[in-house]
Amino acid sequence: MTADQVKLVQESFAKVAPISETAAVLFYDRLFEIAPSVRAMFPTDMTERHKKLMAMLATVVSGLGNLKSILPAASALATRHVSYGTKPEHYPVAGAALLWTLEKGLGDAWTSEVAGAWSAAYGTLSGFMISEAYGRPQAAE
């Protein structure tokens, strides 16, 4: 990721953070719409899951300028995801749901540059997490 991409991700996330609960609902609703089979991996009451998603995103976004600072947490998260039943093929689906959510949340502020920056951020981190969890890098967007 370039410094400009990091800045775009951080600035755009700052615009989404005030609507974090709505963004979390949008994300999971979209995820379950495009991948209904993953719904069983989640609790019925998603309230806590919504908070955890947005907190994790805030941590990752704030640490993008120093990726090494967030890699241990990303590694631990990847390992936990395996125990939940997450497979490598779930990562691109979650990425698509995330980008869709950001597009909806940002409206006119969702530009091709912002989309590219978020795609780069997600691709970098999901690729790392897949490698950590499964021991082999795989493409994820």
Side-chain angles (χ1 to χ4, degrees):
M1 289 189 69
T2 68
D4 286 343
Q5 287 175 318
V6 169
K7 183 178 178 185
L8 283 171
V9 168
Q10 290 174 336
E11 288 175 349
S12 60
F13 186 73
K15 295 174 184 172
V16 173
I19 60 160
S20 62
E21 178 60 26
T22 299
V25 169
L26 284 171
F27 170 79
Y28 283 111
D29 284 353
R30 181 65 176 170
L31 179 64
F32 301 151
E33 178 183 331
I34 62 177
S37 64
V38 303
R39 181 63 183 97
M41 297 166 58
F42 294 89
T44 303
D45 182 356
M46 293 291 291
T47 306
E48 196 60 33
R49 182 74 18 226
H50 293 164
K51 292 175 188 174
K52 287 181 179 182
L53 169 70
M54 297 311 292
M56 181 270 305
L57 280 174
T59 298
V60 167
V61 167
S62 69
L64 280 179
N66 180 13
L67 265 181
K68 289 184 180 183
S69 71
I70 58 174
L71 292 182
S75 179
L77 182 62
T79 302
R80 280 195 311 278
H81 276 104
V82 171
S83 71
Y84 304 146
T86 303
K87 297 183 178 1
E89 58 268 22
H90 292 137
Y91 283 83
V93 176
L98 176 63
L99 295 178
W100 180 90
T101 299
L102 292 164
E103 180 179 6
K104 297 301 176 202
L106 290 168
D108 290 343
W110 182 254
T111 64
S112 60
E113 292 82 13
V114 171
W118 274 98
S119 291
Y122 187 79
T124 297
L125 286 166
S126 64
F128 172 78
M129 290 175 67
I130 290 168
S131 179
E132 288 293 292
Y134 306 99
R136 62 191 186 282
Q138 297 189 18
E141 302 211 7

